[in-house]
Amino acid sequence: MRKLVCFGMAAVMAASLTACGGGSSTGTGTTAAATQAASGNETQAQGDAAPAEGGTIKIGVMGPLTGPAAAYGVAVANGADLAVKEINAAGGINGIQIELNAQDDEHDPEKAVNAYNTLKDWGMQMLVGATTSKPCIAVAAESQADNLFQITPSGSAVECAAADNVFRVCFADPAQGTASAQYIGDNRLATKIGIIYDSSTEYSAGIRESFVAEAGNHGLEIVADEAFTADTNTDFSVQLDKMKEAGAELVFLPIYYQEASVILKQASDKEFAPIFFGVDGMDGILSVKNFDTALAEDVMLLTPFSATEEGSKQFTADYVAAYGIEPNQFAADSYDAVYAIKAAAEKAGITADMDASAICDAMKTAMTEISIDGLTGEAMTWDAAGETGKAPKAVKIVNGVYEMQ
């Protein structure tokens, strides 16, 4: 089994995963996140065994467990759930068992704050989330005021990690845009570039801005640059026509997978077949209901995780066995986030009786002192600004699966 290695942390036994479907004699301290999240119910895990000698620590998880962005939130809940089960079965965090509670924010900032307050009332001591950028920005303001440690698996807007109590596993939006331009240029995928982006989201607009700023440094010419908004995200005929007329060889899509699936269908209808290159928000496109996945053939995206690469195979097998679906990047990000918490909490000497603020103060320092080998990167580190250091990767969709490039 592929595990995160840091500060002599013991290897986790594969046998621990036999409890993924529910309770066991060892006790996981969680419930099956996928089963409840997929049905639209919040997961409130109170533990299914007597507390360990070291006590328990309460970790909240937040994301869209229902609605159009549920592929992200359910994956984050499941990834955290799997990591917690493994950690608890292997003895916890220096003997401390983890309780997990996943709440649905419906990809809405106001509902995200409500979910955060629900977790606070439950006694949350640390937070994995929020999953998407706008809710994460709203929640970060709350966690900063409370001095509560927060690590977002996938909140990539710059503002998500602006506070000193917030760290992230994914790259920030500017880093994704810069890395995409570098990758396209360094690998000579194309020189004439079109861009279709969502100007109504910080995520998409931020990535697009940094991509444009970096493109010229790699010999890339932006021949068409077209926006849409949340109110105009079903018909991309105008944008695609402009891409085609401008001779775009590659269309950069710093957008979410729902809109990307529509763009690929409409481009096919127009017999427009450039290279399509996306970022982490496109992860999940193969799971869109009624989408012809053949339309995604040869699509590329900047993502740090492929379920089929050698280092991910055991995680993928365990995840599929537990939740009945193949993991995406968001699941891997969340899994890594929980193991980062474990590493930092052990480094900081966290105890279960510490309050959330004391834990946060200790974790702020410890996060800058750890290095872990995760699913989404090797030798991952964090700086005081909450940003991770790891090498960017890209995948291509071939025969309906991701192939790491």
Side-chain angles (χ1 to χ4, degrees), residues 127-403:
L127 173 64
V128 174
T131 297
T132 49
S133 286
K134 281 188 175 181
C136 192
I137 293 169
V139 168
E142 302 295 320
S143 70
Q144 181 183 25
D146 294 331
N147 196 38
L148 184 142
F149 179 79
Q150 178 180 349
I151 182 166
T152 172
S154 47
S156 57
V158 171
E159 297 87 345
C160 289
D164 67 353
N165 64 302
V166 185
F167 293 74
R168 70 173 121 221
V169 175
C170 67
F171 288 118
D173 291 342
Q176 289 198 67
T178 300
S180 294
Q182 291 172 343
Y183 188 92
I184 292 166
D186 291 349
N187 290 277
R188 300 182 179 180
L189 299 182
T191 55
K192 293 185 177 181
I193 311 298
I195 304 173
I196 301 177
Y197 72 102
D198 183 351
S199 61
S200 64
T201 70
E202 293 90 345
Y203 170 80
S204 187
I207 296 175
R208 174 258 174 199
E209 183 179 359
S210 60
F211 180 89
V212 170
E214 184 69 17
N217 297 330
H218 300 275
L220 306 181
E221 178 188 1
I222 308 298
V223 297
D225 187 10
E226 298 296 319
F228 66 92
T229 69
D231 296 324
T232 60
N233 65 353
T234 58
D235 185 354
F236 299 93
S237 297
V238 172
Q239 292 94 334
L240 288 168
D241 285 342
K242 290 186 177 181
M243 303 288 131
K244 191 172 184 179
E245 291 167 4
E249 302 161 338
L250 181 149
V251 176
F252 181 53
L253 301 174
I255 58 178
Y256 293 130
Y257 63 90
Q258 299 97 330
E259 291 88 355
S261 68
V262 177
I263 288 172
L264 293 178
K265 175 62 169 66
Q266 293 179 357
S268 177
D269 292 342
K270 292 176 177 292
E271 298 184 344
F272 178 44
I275 297 170
F276 287 100
F277 191 104
V279 289
D280 62 2
M282 198 184 289
D283 196 0
I285 193 167
L286 297 178
S287 66
V288 175
K289 188 176 181 180
N290 299 323
F291 174 66
D292 180 2
T293 57
L295 297 174
E297 189 71 6
D298 294 330
V299 166
M300 299 185 70
L301 57 149
L302 197 76
T303 177
F305 174 75
S306 168
T308 58
E309 67 175 318
E310 189 61 36
S312 302
K313 286 183 178 179
Q314 187 62 57
F315 167 76
T316 298
D318 295 337
Y319 190 96
V320 171
Y323 312 113
I325 188 173
E326 191 170 274
N328 59 21
Q329 176 204 322
F330 293 81
D333 282 336
S334 183
Y335 183 89
D336 283 354
V338 173
Y339 272 99
I341 284 176
K342 173 178 168 61
E346 291 180 341
K347 179 70 175 177
I350 297 300
T351 57
D353 59 354
M354 294 171 65
D355 65 26
S357 182
I359 288 173
C360 186
D361 287 338
M363 291 288 286
K364 289 175 189 176
T365 298
M367 282 293 293
T368 67
E369 298 174 342
I370 63 171
S371 175
I372 66 173
D373 289 334
L375 293 168
T376 65
E378 297 180 353
M380 295 168 60
T381 59
W382 283 266
D383 61 23
E387 305 295 351
T388 184
K390 58 185 175 182
K393 304 177 184 177
V395 299
K396 179 187 285 188
I397 298 175
V398 179
N399 296 323
V401 298
Y402 289 172
E403 286 191 358

Side-chain angles (χ1 to χ4, degrees), residues 49-56 91 95-97:
E53 290 184 7
T56 60
I96 303 170
Q97 292 284 287

